[in-house]
Amino acid sequence: MSGNWVEVCGKDEIDEEDVIRFDHDGRTFAVYRSPDDKFFATDGLCTHEHIHLADGLVMDEIIECPKHNGRFNYKTGEAKGAPVCVNLKIYPVKIEDGAVFISL
Amino acid sequence: MAHFVILGAGECGARAAFALREKGFDDEITLVGAEPLHPYERPPLSKAGSADASGPKFIAAVEKYAENGIRLLTGLEARDLDTASKSVTLSDGTSLSYDKLLLATGAAARSFPGAPEGSSHIRSLRTHHDAAALRNVMKPGKHIAIIGGGFIGLELAATARRLGAEVTVIEGLERVLKRGVPEEIAHLLTERHRAEGVDIRCGVSITALTEESGKAVIRLSGGEVIEADLALVGIGARPNIEIAESAGLTIENGIAVDTYLQTSAPDVFAAGDCCSFPLPIYGGRRVRLESWRNAQEQGTLAAANMLGLDEAVSSVPWFWSDQYDMTLQISGLADDAATHQRRDLGAGAFILFHLDADGRLIAASGVGPGNAVARDIRLAEMLIAARAHPDPAALAASDIKLKSLLAA
Protein backbone atom coordinates (compact mmCIF):
# COMPACT_ATOMS: atom_id res chain seq x y z
CA MET A 1 0.00 0.00 0.00
CA SER A 2 1.38 3.36 -0.94
CA GLY A 3 1.07 6.28 1.40
CA ASN A 4 2.37 9.81 1.05
CA TRP A 5 4.89 10.65 -1.63
CA VAL A 6 7.79 12.54 -0.10
CA GLU A 7 10.47 14.38 -2.05
CA VAL A 8 13.98 13.15 -1.30
CA CYS A 9 16.32 15.15 -3.55
CA GLY A 10 17.16 15.94 -7.13
CA LYS A 11 17.88 12.80 -9.11
CA ASP A 12 21.40 13.96 -9.92
CA GLU A 13 22.22 14.29 -6.23
CA ILE A 14 22.63 10.52 -6.13
CA ASP A 15 25.51 9.15 -8.15
CA GLU A 16 25.09 6.05 -10.25
CA GLU A 17 25.69 2.87 -8.23
CA ASP A 18 25.50 4.87 -5.02
CA VAL A 19 23.25 5.54 -2.04
CA ILE A 20 22.24 8.50 0.14
CA ARG A 21 20.65 8.77 3.54
CA PHE A 22 17.24 10.41 3.83
CA ASP A 23 15.70 11.28 7.20
CA HIS A 24 12.01 12.05 7.42
CA ASP A 25 9.56 12.26 10.29
CA GLY A 26 11.89 10.54 12.73
CA ARG A 27 12.71 7.71 10.35
CA THR A 28 15.77 6.98 8.27
CA PHE A 29 15.78 5.67 4.73
CA ALA A 30 18.41 4.76 2.17
CA VAL A 31 17.81 5.79 -1.44
CA TYR A 32 19.77 4.14 -4.22
CA ARG A 33 20.58 4.76 -7.84
CA SER A 34 21.46 1.56 -9.67
CA PRO A 35 24.13 1.23 -12.36
CA ASP A 36 21.33 1.10 -14.96
CA ASP A 37 19.99 4.46 -13.71
CA LYS A 38 16.95 3.29 -11.75
CA PHE A 39 16.05 4.44 -8.23
CA PHE A 40 15.16 2.37 -5.15
CA ALA A 41 14.52 2.95 -1.47
CA THR A 42 14.80 0.84 1.66
CA ASP A 43 14.83 1.36 5.39
CA GLY A 44 18.04 3.18 6.21
CA LEU A 45 19.36 1.02 9.03
CA CYS A 46 20.90 -2.44 8.82
CA THR A 47 18.68 -5.04 10.46
CA HIS A 48 21.69 -6.58 12.20
CA GLU A 49 22.87 -3.65 14.29
CA HIS A 50 21.14 -0.40 13.29
CA ILE A 51 24.01 1.01 11.26
CA HIS A 52 23.33 3.58 8.53
CA LEU A 53 23.38 1.72 5.23
CA ALA A 54 24.06 4.95 3.34
CA ASP A 55 27.64 4.76 4.67
CA GLY A 56 27.99 1.41 2.94
CA LEU A 57 29.07 0.37 -0.51
CA VAL A 58 26.71 -0.22 -3.42
CA MET A 59 27.84 -2.88 -5.84
CA ASP A 60 25.45 -3.58 -8.66
CA GLU A 61 22.18 -4.39 -6.85
CA ILE A 62 23.73 -5.07 -3.44
CA ILE A 63 24.16 -2.68 -0.51
CA GLU A 64 26.83 -3.78 1.92
CA CYS A 65 26.60 -2.53 5.50
CA PRO A 66 29.70 -0.50 6.47
CA LYS A 67 30.04 -2.07 9.88
CA HIS A 68 29.94 -5.83 9.53
CA ASN A 69 29.56 -6.25 5.78
CA GLY A 70 26.04 -7.66 5.95
CA ARG A 71 24.51 -7.59 2.48
CA PHE A 72 21.07 -6.87 1.12
CA ASN A 73 19.58 -6.73 -2.32
CA TYR A 74 18.35 -3.13 -2.28
CA LYS A 75 15.83 -3.79 -5.03
CA THR A 76 14.02 -6.51 -3.09
CA GLY A 77 15.23 -5.86 0.47
CA GLU A 78 16.35 -9.47 0.75
CA ALA A 79 19.10 -10.26 3.30
CA LYS A 80 21.91 -12.01 1.45
CA GLY A 81 23.68 -13.89 4.18
CA ALA A 82 25.34 -13.65 7.59
CA PRO A 83 25.40 -11.71 9.77
CA VAL A 84 22.09 -10.30 8.55
CA CYS A 85 19.05 -12.52 8.47
CA VAL A 86 16.15 -10.04 8.54
CA ASN A 87 15.12 -8.42 5.24
CA LEU A 88 14.89 -4.66 4.72
CA LYS A 89 11.57 -2.98 3.97
CA ILE A 90 11.47 -1.44 0.54
CA TYR A 91 9.49 1.59 -0.63
CA PRO A 92 8.16 2.67 -4.01
CA VAL A 93 10.15 5.37 -5.76
CA LYS A 94 9.17 7.72 -8.59
CA ILE A 95 10.96 10.45 -10.49
CA GLU A 96 9.05 13.63 -11.27
CA ASP A 97 10.48 16.83 -12.71
CA GLY A 98 14.01 15.63 -12.04
CA ALA A 99 13.33 14.91 -8.37
CA VAL A 100 13.25 11.61 -6.46
CA PHE A 101 10.13 10.81 -4.41
CA ILE A 102 9.52 7.85 -2.13
CA SER A 103 6.17 6.58 -0.93
CA LEU A 104 5.93 6.01 2.82
CA MET B 1 23.72 -41.48 7.57
CA ALA B 2 26.77 -39.22 7.80
CA HIS B 3 27.51 -37.36 11.02
CA PHE B 4 29.42 -34.06 10.97
CA VAL B 5 30.65 -32.84 14.35
CA ILE B 6 31.71 -29.27 15.08
CA LEU B 7 33.72 -28.61 18.25
CA GLY B 8 33.33 -25.00 19.34
CA ALA B 9 30.06 -23.05 19.32
CA GLY B 10 31.34 -19.54 18.76
CA GLU B 11 30.96 -17.45 15.63
CA CYS B 12 32.92 -19.88 13.49
CA GLY B 13 31.30 -23.10 14.64
CA ALA B 14 27.76 -21.74 14.51
CA ARG B 15 28.27 -20.29 11.03
CA ALA B 16 29.69 -23.59 9.85
CA ALA B 17 26.66 -25.49 11.14
CA PHE B 18 24.17 -23.22 9.38
CA ALA B 19 26.32 -23.10 6.24
CA LEU B 20 26.26 -26.91 6.01
CA ARG B 21 22.47 -26.75 5.85
CA GLU B 22 22.48 -23.82 3.43
CA LYS B 23 24.76 -25.81 1.16
CA GLY B 24 22.37 -28.76 1.18
CA PHE B 25 23.81 -31.17 3.75
CA ASP B 26 20.88 -33.29 4.97
CA ASP B 27 22.50 -35.64 7.47
CA GLU B 28 23.40 -35.25 11.13
CA ILE B 29 25.14 -32.18 12.57
CA THR B 30 26.26 -31.90 16.18
CA LEU B 31 27.59 -28.57 17.46
CA VAL B 32 29.40 -28.73 20.79
CA GLY B 33 30.04 -25.60 22.91
CA ALA B 34 31.85 -25.25 26.21
CA GLU B 35 29.74 -22.34 27.44
CA PRO B 36 26.23 -22.80 28.81
CA LEU B 37 24.81 -20.22 26.39
CA HIS B 38 23.94 -20.92 22.78
CA PRO B 39 26.24 -19.18 20.30
CA TYR B 40 26.49 -15.40 20.62
CA GLU B 41 28.51 -12.59 19.06
CA ARG B 42 31.73 -11.71 20.86
CA PRO B 43 32.63 -8.29 19.40
CA PRO B 44 29.99 -6.46 21.49
CA LEU B 45 31.52 -7.72 24.74
CA SER B 46 34.14 -4.98 24.85
CA LYS B 47 32.31 -2.24 23.02
CA ALA B 48 30.39 0.72 24.33
CA GLY B 49 27.39 0.06 22.14
CA SER B 50 26.43 -2.87 24.29
CA ALA B 51 27.76 -1.59 27.58
CA ASP B 52 24.28 -1.38 29.04
CA ALA B 53 22.98 -4.55 27.47
CA SER B 54 22.03 -7.21 29.95
CA GLY B 55 21.94 -10.12 27.56
CA PRO B 56 24.23 -11.41 24.83
CA LYS B 57 23.54 -10.82 21.15
CA PHE B 58 22.78 -14.30 19.90
CA ILE B 59 23.88 -15.39 16.45
CA ALA B 60 20.52 -17.11 16.01
CA ALA B 61 17.56 -17.86 18.26
CA VAL B 62 17.94 -21.20 19.99
CA GLU B 63 14.91 -22.56 18.10
CA LYS B 64 16.78 -22.04 14.82
CA TYR B 65 19.18 -24.84 15.67
CA ALA B 66 16.35 -27.32 16.14
CA GLU B 67 14.57 -26.02 13.05
CA ASN B 68 17.74 -26.65 11.06
CA GLY B 69 18.29 -30.08 12.56
CA ILE B 70 21.45 -28.96 14.36
CA ARG B 71 21.97 -30.85 17.60
CA LEU B 72 23.40 -28.20 19.93
CA LEU B 73 25.23 -29.47 23.01
CA THR B 74 26.22 -26.68 25.41
CA GLY B 75 28.31 -26.71 28.56
CA LEU B 76 30.44 -29.55 27.22
CA GLU B 77 34.07 -29.68 26.17
CA ALA B 78 35.87 -32.23 24.09
CA ARG B 79 38.26 -34.28 26.17
CA ASP B 80 39.73 -36.69 23.68
CA LEU B 81 40.01 -36.96 19.93
CA ASP B 82 40.86 -40.26 18.28
CA THR B 83 41.44 -39.65 14.59
CA ALA B 84 41.98 -43.38 13.89
CA SER B 85 38.55 -44.45 15.10
CA LYS B 86 37.11 -41.03 14.18
CA SER B 87 35.54 -40.33 17.53
CA VAL B 88 35.47 -37.56 20.11
CA THR B 89 34.84 -37.99 23.82
CA LEU B 90 33.13 -35.13 25.64
CA SER B 91 33.48 -33.94 29.23
CA ASP B 92 30.32 -35.79 30.30
CA GLY B 93 31.71 -39.06 28.95
CA THR B 94 29.62 -39.04 25.77
CA SER B 95 31.42 -40.41 22.73
CA LEU B 96 30.59 -39.04 19.29
CA SER B 97 31.61 -40.79 16.09
CA TYR B 98 32.15 -38.47 13.16
CA ASP B 99 32.50 -38.71 9.43
CA LYS B 100 33.88 -35.17 9.26
CA LEU B 101 35.05 -33.07 12.18
CA LEU B 102 35.54 -29.32 12.41
CA LEU B 103 37.70 -27.87 15.15
CA ALA B 104 36.43 -24.34 15.77
CA THR B 105 37.80 -24.19 19.27
CA GLY B 106 38.76 -20.52 19.19
CA ALA B 107 41.28 -18.88 21.47
CA ALA B 108 41.59 -18.17 25.19
CA ALA B 109 42.77 -14.99 26.88
CA ARG B 110 46.40 -15.09 27.94
CA SER B 111 46.81 -14.76 31.67
CA PHE B 112 49.42 -12.58 33.32
CA PRO B 113 52.40 -14.66 34.47
CA GLY B 114 52.32 -15.20 38.22
CA ALA B 115 48.96 -13.49 38.77
CA PRO B 116 46.50 -15.32 41.03
CA GLU B 117 43.91 -17.38 39.19
CA GLY B 118 40.23 -17.07 39.93
CA SER B 119 40.52 -13.61 41.48
CA SER B 120 37.43 -11.46 41.14
CA HIS B 121 39.71 -8.40 41.01
CA ILE B 122 41.99 -9.67 38.24
CA ARG B 123 40.09 -10.74 35.17
CA SER B 124 40.26 -11.19 31.44
CA LEU B 125 37.56 -10.83 28.81
CA ARG B 126 36.49 -13.65 26.59
CA THR B 127 32.92 -14.58 27.44
CA HIS B 128 29.60 -12.94 28.16
CA HIS B 129 30.10 -14.01 31.77
CA ASP B 130 33.41 -12.09 31.86
CA ALA B 131 31.78 -9.02 30.29
CA ALA B 132 28.93 -9.03 32.81
CA ALA B 133 31.43 -9.14 35.67
CA LEU B 134 33.34 -6.23 34.17
CA ARG B 135 30.23 -4.13 33.73
CA ASN B 136 29.50 -4.52 37.43
CA VAL B 137 32.71 -2.62 38.17
CA MET B 138 32.56 -0.04 35.38
CA LYS B 139 30.95 2.63 37.51
CA PRO B 140 31.71 6.11 38.82
CA GLY B 141 34.04 5.93 41.79
CA LYS B 142 35.69 2.72 40.60
CA HIS B 143 39.18 2.45 39.17
CA ILE B 144 39.97 -0.03 36.45
CA ALA B 145 43.52 -0.83 35.40
CA ILE B 146 43.84 -2.32 31.95
CA ILE B 147 46.98 -4.29 31.29
CA GLY B 148 47.69 -4.23 27.57
CA GLY B 149 47.05 -1.52 24.99
CA GLY B 150 45.60 -3.69 22.25
CA PHE B 151 42.12 -3.60 20.72
CA ILE B 152 40.40 -5.25 23.68
CA GLY B 153 42.16 -3.06 26.23
CA LEU B 154 41.41 0.21 24.45
CA GLU B 155 37.81 -0.69 23.65
CA LEU B 156 37.26 -1.51 27.30
CA ALA B 157 38.96 1.71 28.33
CA ALA B 158 36.49 3.66 26.18
CA THR B 159 33.55 1.68 27.53
CA ALA B 160 34.66 2.13 31.13
CA ARG B 161 35.06 5.89 30.68
CA ARG B 162 31.62 6.12 29.13
CA LEU B 163 30.24 4.36 32.19
CA GLY B 164 32.10 6.73 34.50
CA ALA B 165 34.96 4.63 35.87
CA GLU B 166 38.54 5.88 36.22
CA VAL B 167 40.85 4.07 33.83
CA THR B 168 44.58 3.45 33.66
CA VAL B 169 46.05 1.60 30.67
CA ILE B 170 49.46 0.00 31.13
CA GLU B 171 51.32 -1.03 28.00
CA GLY B 172 54.77 -2.60 28.04
CA LEU B 173 55.72 -1.49 24.53
CA GLU B 174 56.53 2.08 23.56
CA ARG B 175 53.06 2.68 22.16
CA VAL B 176 49.59 1.16 22.06
CA LEU B 177 48.32 -1.00 19.18
CA LYS B 178 51.87 -1.90 18.23
CA ARG B 179 50.73 -5.04 16.45
CA GLY B 180 49.21 -4.27 13.08
CA VAL B 181 48.14 -0.64 13.55
CA PRO B 182 50.21 2.21 12.05
CA GLU B 183 51.78 4.67 14.46
CA GLU B 184 49.83 7.62 13.03
CA ILE B 185 46.53 5.97 13.91
CA ALA B 186 47.71 4.66 17.26
CA HIS B 187 48.86 8.19 18.16
CA LEU B 188 45.48 9.69 17.27
CA LEU B 189 43.65 7.12 19.38
CA THR B 190 46.05 7.62 22.28
CA GLU B 191 45.40 11.35 22.22
CA ARG B 192 41.66 10.75 22.15
CA HIS B 193 41.82 8.41 25.14
CA ARG B 194 43.88 10.96 27.05
CA ALA B 195 41.38 13.69 26.19
CA GLU B 196 38.66 11.44 27.60
CA GLY B 197 40.60 11.15 30.85
CA VAL B 198 42.29 7.77 30.42
CA ASP B 199 45.74 7.57 31.98
CA ILE B 200 47.75 5.75 29.29
CA ARG B 201 51.23 4.64 30.24
CA CYS B 202 53.47 3.08 27.62
CA GLY B 203 56.87 1.49 27.94
CA VAL B 204 56.07 0.44 31.48
CA SER B 205 56.81 -3.05 32.75
CA ILE B 206 54.93 -4.76 35.54
CA THR B 207 56.91 -6.68 38.13
CA ALA B 208 53.93 -8.14 40.00
CA LEU B 209 50.17 -8.36 39.74
CA THR B 210 48.48 -9.43 42.94
CA GLU B 211 45.24 -9.19 44.85
CA GLU B 212 45.49 -7.53 48.25
CA SER B 213 42.69 -6.44 50.59
CA GLY B 214 40.02 -6.51 47.96
CA LYS B 215 42.05 -4.61 45.36
CA ALA B 216 44.19 -5.49 42.38
CA VAL B 217 47.71 -4.30 43.04
CA ILE B 218 50.08 -3.63 40.17
CA ARG B 219 53.73 -3.05 40.91
CA LEU B 220 55.70 -1.29 38.19
CA SER B 221 59.40 -1.67 37.53
CA GLY B 222 60.05 1.93 38.53
CA GLY B 223 58.70 1.21 42.01
CA GLU B 224 55.28 2.76 41.59
CA VAL B 225 52.29 0.81 42.88
CA ILE B 226 48.87 1.14 41.27
CA GLU B 227 45.78 -0.03 43.09
CA ALA B 228 42.57 -0.71 41.21
CA ASP B 229 39.16 -2.15 41.92
CA LEU B 230 39.75 -4.40 38.96
CA ALA B 231 42.71 -5.23 36.76
CA LEU B 232 41.73 -6.36 33.30
CA VAL B 233 44.39 -8.43 31.61
CA GLY B 234 44.22 -7.87 27.85
CA ILE B 235 47.55 -9.18 26.62
CA GLY B 236 46.38 -11.26 23.72
CA ALA B 237 45.00 -14.71 23.20
CA ARG B 238 46.37 -18.18 22.64
CA PRO B 239 44.75 -20.66 20.30
CA ASN B 240 42.87 -23.55 21.89
CA ILE B 241 44.94 -26.38 20.45
CA GLU B 242 45.04 -28.86 23.31
CA ILE B 243 42.73 -31.47 21.88
CA ALA B 244 44.34 -31.24 18.44
CA GLU B 245 47.82 -31.41 19.89
CA SER B 246 47.08 -34.46 22.02
CA ALA B 247 45.57 -36.17 18.97
CA GLY B 248 48.86 -35.65 17.15
CA LEU B 249 47.72 -33.02 14.66
CA THR B 250 50.35 -30.69 13.26
CA ILE B 251 50.55 -27.46 15.25
CA GLU B 252 52.19 -24.34 13.88
CA ASN B 253 51.06 -21.21 15.73
CA GLY B 254 47.65 -22.85 16.01
CA ILE B 255 46.26 -25.95 14.38
CA ALA B 256 47.97 -26.04 10.99
CA VAL B 257 45.61 -26.32 8.04
CA ASP B 258 46.08 -26.14 4.30
CA THR B 259 44.32 -23.72 1.99
CA TYR B 260 41.17 -25.88 2.22
CA LEU B 261 41.24 -25.74 6.05
CA GLN B 262 42.13 -29.42 6.18
CA THR B 263 44.32 -30.39 9.15
CA SER B 264 47.03 -33.06 9.04
CA ALA B 265 44.42 -35.69 10.03
CA PRO B 266 41.99 -37.12 7.48
CA ASP B 267 38.48 -35.66 7.59
CA VAL B 268 39.44 -33.19 10.33
CA PHE B 269 39.20 -29.50 9.52
CA ALA B 270 40.00 -26.44 11.61
CA ALA B 271 38.82 -22.86 11.22
CA GLY B 272 38.80 -19.49 12.94
CA ASP B 273 41.00 -18.24 15.78
CA CYS B 274 42.41 -21.69 16.56
CA CYS B 275 44.08 -22.39 13.21
CA SER B 276 46.96 -21.08 11.13
CA PHE B 277 46.56 -21.17 7.39
CA PRO B 278 48.38 -20.11 4.22
CA LEU B 279 47.16 -16.81 2.80
CA PRO B 280 47.47 -16.84 -1.01
CA ILE B 281 47.17 -13.08 -1.37
CA TYR B 282 50.44 -12.74 0.57
CA GLY B 283 52.35 -15.47 -1.23
CA GLY B 284 51.12 -18.30 0.95
CA ARG B 285 52.43 -16.75 4.17
CA ARG B 286 51.02 -18.70 7.13
CA VAL B 287 48.91 -16.58 9.45
CA ARG B 288 46.53 -17.02 12.35
CA LEU B 289 43.83 -14.37 12.58
CA GLU B 290 41.80 -13.49 15.62
CA SER B 291 39.01 -11.65 13.94
CA TRP B 292 35.27 -11.82 13.79
CA ARG B 293 35.02 -11.79 10.03
CA ASN B 294 37.72 -14.40 9.62
CA ALA B 295 35.83 -16.68 12.01
CA GLN B 296 32.67 -16.14 10.05
CA GLU B 297 34.20 -16.62 6.61
CA GLN B 298 36.22 -19.65 7.60
CA GLY B 299 33.18 -21.28 9.21
CA THR B 300 31.40 -21.02 5.90
CA LEU B 301 34.48 -22.13 3.97
CA ALA B 302 35.03 -25.11 6.25
CA ALA B 303 31.44 -26.18 5.66
CA ALA B 304 32.03 -26.12 1.90
CA ASN B 305 35.18 -28.18 2.22
CA MET B 306 33.59 -30.68 4.61
CA LEU B 307 31.17 -31.24 1.74
CA GLY B 308 34.05 -31.79 -0.67
CA LEU B 309 33.59 -28.57 -2.61
CA ASP B 310 37.33 -27.75 -2.56
CA GLU B 311 37.06 -24.02 -1.98
CA ALA B 312 40.39 -22.40 -1.17
CA VAL B 313 41.03 -19.54 1.24
CA SER B 314 40.92 -16.33 -0.80
CA SER B 315 39.94 -13.58 1.59
CA VAL B 316 41.78 -10.45 2.66
CA PRO B 317 42.17 -10.06 6.45
CA TRP B 318 39.92 -7.41 7.93
CA PHE B 319 39.70 -6.00 11.44
CA TRP B 320 37.75 -3.27 13.11
CA SER B 321 37.59 -1.56 16.47
CA ASP B 322 35.17 0.93 18.01
CA GLN B 323 36.41 3.40 20.62
CA TYR B 324 34.16 6.30 21.68
CA ASP B 325 32.61 7.59 18.45
CA MET B 326 35.66 6.51 16.45
CA THR B 327 35.91 3.44 14.27
CA LEU B 328 39.17 1.95 13.09
CA GLN B 329 39.15 -0.42 10.14
CA ILE B 330 42.10 -2.28 8.68
CA SER B 331 42.14 -4.39 5.60
CA GLY B 332 45.14 -6.50 4.66
CA LEU B 333 48.48 -6.99 6.39
CA ALA B 334 50.78 -3.98 6.40
CA ASP B 335 53.91 -5.62 7.85
CA ASP B 336 55.76 -5.70 4.53
CA ALA B 337 54.80 -2.21 3.45
CA ALA B 338 57.52 0.01 2.01
CA THR B 339 55.55 3.23 1.74
CA HIS B 340 52.13 4.61 2.45
CA GLN B 341 49.84 7.24 1.01
CA ARG B 342 47.43 9.22 3.16
CA ARG B 343 43.95 10.15 1.96
CA ASP B 344 42.01 12.63 4.09
CA LEU B 345 38.26 12.16 4.09
CA GLY B 346 37.20 15.21 6.12
CA ALA B 347 35.96 15.49 9.72
CA GLY B 348 39.29 14.09 10.91
CA ALA B 349 38.86 10.79 9.09
CA PHE B 350 41.76 9.46 7.04
CA ILE B 351 43.06 6.31 5.42
CA LEU B 352 46.64 5.14 5.02
CA PHE B 353 47.19 2.99 1.95
CA HIS B 354 50.15 0.69 2.41
CA LEU B 355 52.17 -0.26 -0.67
CA ASP B 356 54.96 -2.80 -0.98
CA ALA B 357 58.28 -2.12 -2.72
CA ASP B 358 56.73 -3.01 -6.08
CA GLY B 359 53.88 -0.54 -5.61
CA ARG B 360 51.28 -3.19 -4.92
CA LEU B 361 48.56 -2.22 -2.47
CA ILE B 362 48.86 -4.67 0.42
CA ALA B 363 46.84 -3.01 3.20
CA ALA B 364 44.74 0.00 4.14
CA SER B 365 44.20 1.40 7.63
CA GLY B 366 41.54 3.99 8.33
CA VAL B 367 40.16 5.83 11.32
CA GLY B 368 37.44 8.39 11.78
CA PRO B 369 34.11 9.19 13.37
CA GLY B 370 31.30 6.73 12.81
CA ASN B 371 31.64 4.80 9.59
CA ALA B 372 33.51 7.54 7.74
CA VAL B 373 36.24 5.23 6.47
CA ALA B 374 34.18 2.08 5.90
CA ARG B 375 33.33 2.45 2.25
CA ASP B 376 36.85 3.29 1.15
CA ILE B 377 38.36 0.54 3.27
CA ARG B 378 36.00 -1.92 1.59
CA LEU B 379 37.06 -0.66 -1.82
CA ALA B 380 40.70 -0.89 -0.76
CA GLU B 381 40.07 -4.49 0.21
CA MET B 382 38.84 -5.18 -3.30
CA LEU B 383 41.95 -3.51 -4.74
CA ILE B 384 44.14 -5.62 -2.45
CA ALA B 385 42.33 -8.78 -3.51
CA ALA B 386 42.84 -7.81 -7.15
CA ARG B 387 46.59 -7.43 -6.45
CA ALA B 388 46.32 -3.91 -7.85
CA HIS B 389 49.19 -1.45 -8.31
CA PRO B 390 47.19 1.79 -8.07
CA ASP B 391 48.67 5.17 -8.85
CA PRO B 392 49.92 6.48 -5.47
CA ALA B 393 48.88 10.02 -6.32
CA ALA B 394 45.33 8.83 -7.04
CA LEU B 395 45.20 7.03 -3.70
CA ALA B 396 46.10 10.27 -1.93
CA ALA B 397 43.67 12.44 -3.91
CA SER B 398 40.37 12.42 -2.04
CA ASP B 399 38.53 13.84 -5.05
CA ILE B 400 39.30 10.71 -7.06
CA LYS B 401 36.83 7.95 -6.26
CA LEU B 402 38.45 4.68 -5.26
CA LYS B 403 35.79 2.87 -7.22
CA SER B 404 37.28 4.33 -10.39
CA LEU B 405 40.65 2.77 -9.51
CA LEU B 406 38.97 -0.58 -9.19
CA ALA B 407 37.59 -0.28 -12.69
CA ALA B 408 40.98 0.76 -14.08
Side-chain angles (χ1 to χ4, degrees):
Chain A
M1 187 179 75
S2 294
N4 297 328
W5 286 100
V6 177
E7 184 172 346
V8 175
C9 62
K11 68 190 283 279
D12 291 334
E13 290 176 50
I14 311 176
D15 289 342
E16 275 183 29
E17 203 176 26
D18 212 343
V19 55
I20 64 158
R21 171 179 166 181
F22 175 59
D23 295 336
H24 178 76
D25 200 17
R27 297 165 69 192
T28 293
F29 304 89
V31 185
Y32 310 81
R33 184 171 180 175
S34 65
D36 56 355
D37 206 22
K38 292 188 170 61
F39 291 80
F40 301 87
T42 69
D43 276 334
L45 298 174
C46 179
T47 57
H48 171 241
E49 213 168 89
H50 302 295
I51 301 298
H52 284 287
L53 290 169
D55 291 332
L57 182 65
V58 175
M59 291 173 291
D60 199 13
E61 59 187 24
I62 299 295
I63 174 68
E64 188 174 270
C65 174
K67 198 70 179 178
H68 305 134
N69 308 130
R71 293 176 182 193
F72 302 88
N73 181 315
Y74 62 76
K75 295 181 177 177
T76 64
E78 185 190 357
K80 301 295 284 183
V84 297
C85 50
V86 177
N87 295 345
L88 289 171
K89 279 185 196 160
I90 58 172
Y91 300 88
V93 181
K94 69 177 181 182
I95 305 296
E96 260 181 29
D97 300 330
V100 181
F101 293 80
I102 63 175
S103 176
L104 305 179
Chain B
M1 181 173 276
H3 184 200
F4 285 9
V5 174
I6 301 167
L7 296 182
E11 188 77 40
C12 185
R15 293 294 175 204
F18 285 110
L20 283 170
R21 288 291 181 243
E22 286 159 15
K23 292 173 190 297
F25 181 67
D26 286 334
D27 290 349
E28 281 186 79
I29 301 173
T30 302
L31 176 61
V32 184
E35 291 181 54
L37 294 168
H38 64 286
Y40 59 90
E41 295 191 4
R42 271 179 226 282
L45 299 183
S46 54
K47 293 176 174 65
S50 62
D52 314 317
S54 53
K57 183 173 172 59
F58 291 111
I59 291 170
V62 71
E63 301 80 34
K64 287 281 178 194
Y65 296 86
E67 284 169 20
N68 282 274
I70 298 164
R71 184 160 65 126
L72 178 60
L73 304 178
T74 54
L76 292 173
E77 290 181 69
R79 288 278 187 255
D80 185 52
L81 164 60
D82 185 339
T83 58
S85 65
K86 297 175 82 169
S87 67
V88 182
T89 306
L90 305 182
S91 46
D92 66 349
T94 307
S95 180
L96 301 173
S97 294
Y98 64 82
D99 294 281
K100 306 271 185 189
L101 176 71
L102 174 62
L103 301 171
T105 49
R110 285 186 197 281
S111 50
F112 192 87
E117 287 182 20
S119 165
S120 58
H121 300 281
I122 301 171
R123 310 192 70 107
S124 57
L125 174 65
R126 197 71 200 172
T127 65
H128 172 71
H129 177 73
D130 295 335
L134 280 171
R135 274 198 295 273
N136 282 335
V137 187
M138 289 179 170
K139 291 174 180 167
K142 297 289 185 183
H143 179 210
I144 294 174
I146 295 173
I147 298 170
F151 283 144
I152 294 280
L154 294 183
E155 287 173 6
L156 281 170
T159 304
R161 284 303 295 144
R162 185 190 148 201
L163 297 177
E166 295 300 312
V167 180
T168 304
V169 174
I170 302 162
E171 167 59 54
L173 299 173
E174 72 274 17
R175 69 164 170 94
V176 299
L177 299 171
K178 180 78 175 167
R179 207 177 60 155
V181 177
E183 189 167 359
E184 220 167 320
I185 291 177
H187 177 73
L188 183 144
L189 289 170
T190 299
E191 292 305 303
R192 177 60 189 274
H193 278 282
R194 286 184 171 147
E196 296 282 351
V198 177
D199 180 5
I200 294 190
R201 303 182 186 200
C202 296
V204 176
S205 61
I206 296 170
T207 55
L209 173 58
T210 56
E211 180 186 328
E212 296 170 27
S213 308
K215 296 270 187 184
V217 178
I218 302 152
R219 290 187 165 78
L220 304 181
S221 54
E224 189 182 352
V225 178
I226 295 173
E227 285 191 0
D229 296 289
L230 188 140
L232 186 281
V233 178
I235 54 172
R238 55 174 177 76
N240 290 324
I241 57 167
E242 291 77 6
I243 191 165
E245 193 168 37
S246 61
L249 272 60
T250 302
I251 306 294
E252 201 177 332
N253 180 28
I255 304 165
V257 296
D258 65 13
T259 190
Y260 302 101
L261 304 179
Q262 168 79 53
T263 69
S264 59
D267 298 317
V268 180
F269 297 79
D273 292 20
C274 69
C275 78
S276 71
F277 60 100
L279 201 48
I281 195 88
Y282 297 102
R285 168 183 166 187
R286 181 168 287 278
V287 295
R288 189 175 68 79
L289 300 178
E290 292 165 10
S291 92
W292 180 78
R293 194 163 92 185
N294 181 62
Q296 205 172 66
E297 287 180 349
Q298 288 201 340
T300 305
L301 190 65
N305 287 313
M306 291 168 86
L307 296 170
L309 297 176
D310 289 341
E311 291 183 13
V313 171
S314 64
S315 58
V316 176
W318 181 84
F319 307 87
W320 101 94
S321 177
D322 291 334
Q323 295 165 37
Y324 309 104
D325 62 336
M326 307 284 279
T327 293
L328 160 70
Q329 288 197 5
I330 297 179
S331 185
L333 302 174
D335 325 26
D336 294 330
T339 60
H340 73 250
Q341 292 291 329
R342 174 171 167 144
R343 169 181 285 233
D344 286 295
L345 304 176
F350 66 91
I351 292 183
L352 303 177
F353 293 99
H354 308 277
L355 304 162
D356 71 7
D358 296 327
R360 193 182 123 195
L361 182 67
I362 55 171
S365 318
V367 68
N371 292 305
V373 302
R375 195 187 304 209
D376 281 351
I377 288 286
R378 183 71 178 96
L379 287 163
E381 181 186 332
M382 294 160 88
L383 288 165
I384 295 165
R387 293 174 162 83
H389 291 67
D391 174 10
L395 288 175
S398 52
D399 57 336
I400 297 177
K401 287 193 168 188
L402 283 187
K403 227 175 193 178
S404 68
L405 304 184
L406 198 62

